[in-house]
Amino acid sequence: MKKLLTAFLGASLLFGAVAANATPEQDRQQLLEYYKHKFPNLKFDDYVHGALNFNPDALSQYFSIMEFPPYDSQFDKGRKMWETPFKNGKKYADCFPDGGKNLAGHYPYFDEKLSKVVTYEMAINSCRKANGEDEFEYKDMKTMGLLTAYSRSLSDGMKMSIKVNGPKATEAYEKGKAFFYQRRGQLNFACATCHVQQVGNIIRTEYLSPALGHAAHWPEFRAGEKVTTLQTRYSQCIKNVRAKPFNQGSEEYNDLEYFHSYISNGLPMQTPVFRK
Amino acid sequence: MRKSPQLMLAAGLIGLVLTTSSFAEEKAKPAEPNGQDLAFNNKKGNCLACHLMPGVPAAVTSATIGPPLVAMKARFPDKAKLRDQVWDATKINSASAMPPFGKHHILTDKEIDLIVDFVYGL
C-alpha cells in the first residue's frame, strides 16, 4: 500500500492531473479538465478519434477509409464466428441480455463473487465454457480478436458506463491507475508520460493521443487488416519502452483496463476502427 | 533514362580504384559510429524522436516533445551540464519525458561522450 501511495504522489507531482485520494469520478473530471484546457476546441465525442484529432488531413483520410473499410472481409469472419452455433446448438447471443447488443460499454466490471475485474473477453470465454467449448487465448487475434471485432460492434454508439462501487472494486481501479502513472522500462516512461503529459505533441512523426477515448474503440484494425485488441496494444506500447509486457488477460492488464475504461465513461463507443 | 557516358566512366573509375587499393579492405569493416550516427540511430540515442535539429539538414523529424537542439554552446556554457541532461534528465526535472540514457545504461559512457560532442557543436 505504501508503494502505491508513493506512486500516486509521484504521479500527482508529475502531471498535476490526479490526486492520491480522489474518487474515480474526481479522477475522470480532473483528466477531462486537463485535456479541455489543452485542447479547448476538441469536442467530447471526438476523443474516440484519438491522435487523428490533431491532424485534420489524417482525420479526413480516416473518414474516407471508413466508408469502404479495408478490413471488411476480416470483420465478416468475426460475424460468422458469432453467428455459428456451438456444438450444443446454442449461440453466443444466448449468453447475453438482448443478444449481446449495447453490452460492451459495461465492461470491464468488478465481480464481487469472483473478487476480480471481468473483461468483455473473459465473458466471451465464460460463455464458451458454459456451452462446452474450449476457451480462446486472449492474445489470439484470429479467434478472440476477430470475434470481438464483430461482437463489440453490436454496442456501437453505446455510452461507456463503467462502475466502480465498494472497497474491492476501488482497490482494483487504484491498482490500474497506479500502473498507468508508474514509470517503467529501460526508457523510463509511464503511460501517462505519452498519453497525458505529452498529448498532442509529435514523437518523431506521430501525434500522441489522449488516454481519454482510448478504451472506446476496440478492437481496431491496424495497417488495413491487422486486428488488434486493447490489451495487445498495451503490450505494443510497453515493448516500445523496453519493458517486459504482461500476459493478456493478466490481472495487471485487467486492472489497467478497468481504470483506462472508466476515464472514457460517457463516450459513445465505436468498433471496429481503422488505424495506421 | 539514358545514362551519361561521363557518369558511367566515373563510376567505372571509382570501381577500379576501390577494388584495386587496400583502401577497399578498410572500408569493408563497418566504421565506428560517430556522434551523429549514435544520436540519429533509433536503437541508440534516438534524439530525433523528440528533438528537431534545425542546423542539421540530414535530421528528418517533426518532433515537438523536447526543445530544438540548436545554439547549444550559448545555452550550455558549461558542457558538463549538457552531459548531465543526457545522463539523467530526471535529476534536473523529475517529470522529464527524456530517457535517462546513462543512468539506465541505454548508452555507454563513450557513446554519451560522442553524442554530447556532436550536440555541443549544434
Side-chain angles (χ1 to χ4, degrees), chain B residues 35-47:
Chain B
Q36 175 172 323
D37 299 335
L38 291 164
F40 282 24
N41 184 336
N42 61 10
K43 298 200 169 62
K44 293 289 183 179
N46 198 16
C47 314

Side-chain angles (χ1 to χ4, degrees), chain B residues 98-110:
Chain B
M98 177 159 154
F101 290 98
K103 189 179 168 213
H104 275 203
H105 308 291
I106 302 163
L107 299 168
T108 63
D109 276 353
K110 193 180 157 211

Side-chain angles (χ1 to χ4, degrees), chain B residues 16-80:
Chain B
L16 195 70
V17 170
L18 282 181
T19 43
T20 50
S21 76
S22 63
F23 176 68
E25 279 144 48
E26 268 166 46
K27 267 276 152 182
K29 280 187 249 149
E32 286 283 309
N34 62 29
Q36 175 172 323
D37 299 335
L38 291 164
F40 282 24
N41 184 336
N42 61 10
K43 298 200 169 62
K44 293 289 183 179
N46 198 16
C47 314
L48 299 180
C50 300
H51 295 281
L52 302 176
M53 294 187 189
V56 188
V60 182
T61 172
S62 320
T64 60
I65 292 181
L69 299 180
V70 66
M72 297 315 285
K73 283 198 188 85
R75 278 150 76 196
F76 287 85
D78 181 2
K79 192 174 170 190

Side-chain angles (χ1 to χ4, degrees), chain A residues 185-200:
Chain A
Q186 191 186 34
L187 299 186
N188 202 38
F189 287 97
C191 310
T193 315
C194 291
H195 297 295
V196 179
Q197 187 196 47
Q198 297 295 336
V199 160

